[in-house]
Amino acid sequence: MNGVRYETPAFAGFTASASWGEDDFWEVGLRSAGEAGGFKMLFGAGYSELSDENTTGLSVSFAKDSDVFQVGGYVQHLATGLFLHGAYGFEDNNEPLLRNGRTTVDSDHYYVEGGIRQKWAPFGATILYADYAQYRDQLGTAALALGATSSTFDRYGGGIAQEIDAAAMTVYLKYMRYEGDLSGPTLNAAVTNLEGADFVSFGGIVNF
């Protein structure tokens, strides 16, 4: 989108930002980073509004009008490397009327991840983690057009990542499980009977 953004200088570990985009979008955010009592801590929160934009397709709705709030944090114990990361988001869709006569429901999601980061190998830190996330009523264009009114999507898994400092590289192996549930008064069994899916991936990232 066409937009402008401003981010403040850091003050006592805090930074704030604001942005605006045409037709019409605006958001504000607050972030902090620091260390205290042997812990590394990161925090962020944001609020945004999007309106007067037909982002869901003419076959589904007339316009988009949503307010989104998100917050997240990360805490790591420096001596042991144990860490915990969590995030939550809520979207208020302001009940816009869809072309099928229904209204879009509000949605939310949360995510939690825990693990350990330690330099067991001389060439870089090793990270072991497990995570879980749930997304509720985040209905896309196709689901809305079919008449879906609610949904639950669960994602969980874990993995290992190995940093290689000399190459500014990270290699990883991870497993993820996806499970979903979709419901609505006009949906048939073929649509609501969703099977889970398992994914294993391996790869690497090189920073330049």
Side-chain angles (χ1 to χ4, degrees):
M1 65 178 67
N2 294 322
V4 294
R5 172 186 171 92
Y6 173 74
E7 185 166 336
T8 68
F11 178 76
F14 286 87
T15 60
S17 63
S19 60
W20 175 86
E22 62 181 358
D23 202 21
D24 288 310
F25 170 83
W26 65 269
E27 68 176 358
V28 292
L30 180 67
R31 300 171 182 83
S32 69
E35 295 182 8
F39 288 89
K40 175 182 179 180
M41 294 172 287
L42 304 171
F43 171 81
Y47 176 80
S48 63
E49 289 190 2
L50 173 66
S51 62
D52 300 328
E53 183 67 32
N54 192 0
T55 59
T56 56
L58 291 174
S59 64
V60 178
S61 67
F62 297 92
K64 177 75 172 179
D65 182 13
S66 68
D67 310 321
V68 177
F69 170 75
Q70 299 181 84
V71 62
Y74 175 88
V75 178
Q76 178 183 332
H77 186 232
L78 295 175
T80 63
L82 293 171
F83 66 85
L84 181 67
H85 169 55
Y88 173 77
F90 176 78
E91 181 177 20
D92 182 356
N93 285 297
N94 296 301
E95 300 185 345
L97 181 64
L98 305 180
R99 292 183 181 270
N100 62 9
R102 300 187 178 90
T103 57
T104 300
V105 297
D106 299 333
S107 67
D108 66 352
H109 71 273
Y110 64 88
Y111 173 82
V112 61
E113 176 187 355
I116 185 170
R117 174 191 177 93
Q118 275 288 355
K119 195 170 183 179
W120 291 311
F123 45 80
T126 304
I127 302 100
L128 296 170
Y129 72 93
D131 62 356
Y132 173 76
Q134 185 176 83
Y135 308 84
R136 292 176 288 197
D137 298 332
Q138 294 193 353
L139 298 168
T141 302
L144 291 170
L146 289 172
T149 57
S150 66
S151 68
T152 302
F153 182 79
D154 295 295
R155 175 174 64 87
Y156 57 88
I160 180 172
Q162 178 62 57
E163 297 180 351
I164 304 173
D165 296 338
M169 182 180 183
T170 302
V171 293
Y172 62 87
L173 174 67
K174 65 179 181 179
Y175 163 77
M176 304 201 75
R177 170 75 178 177
Y178 298 95
E179 296 178 353
D181 178 69
L182 192 65
S183 61
T186 62
L187 292 175
N188 58 46
V191 177
T192 58
N193 187 20
L194 302 176
E195 295 186 359
D198 299 281
F199 295 88
V200 177
S201 59
F202 173 78
I205 301 171
V206 178
N207 297 310
F208 295 94

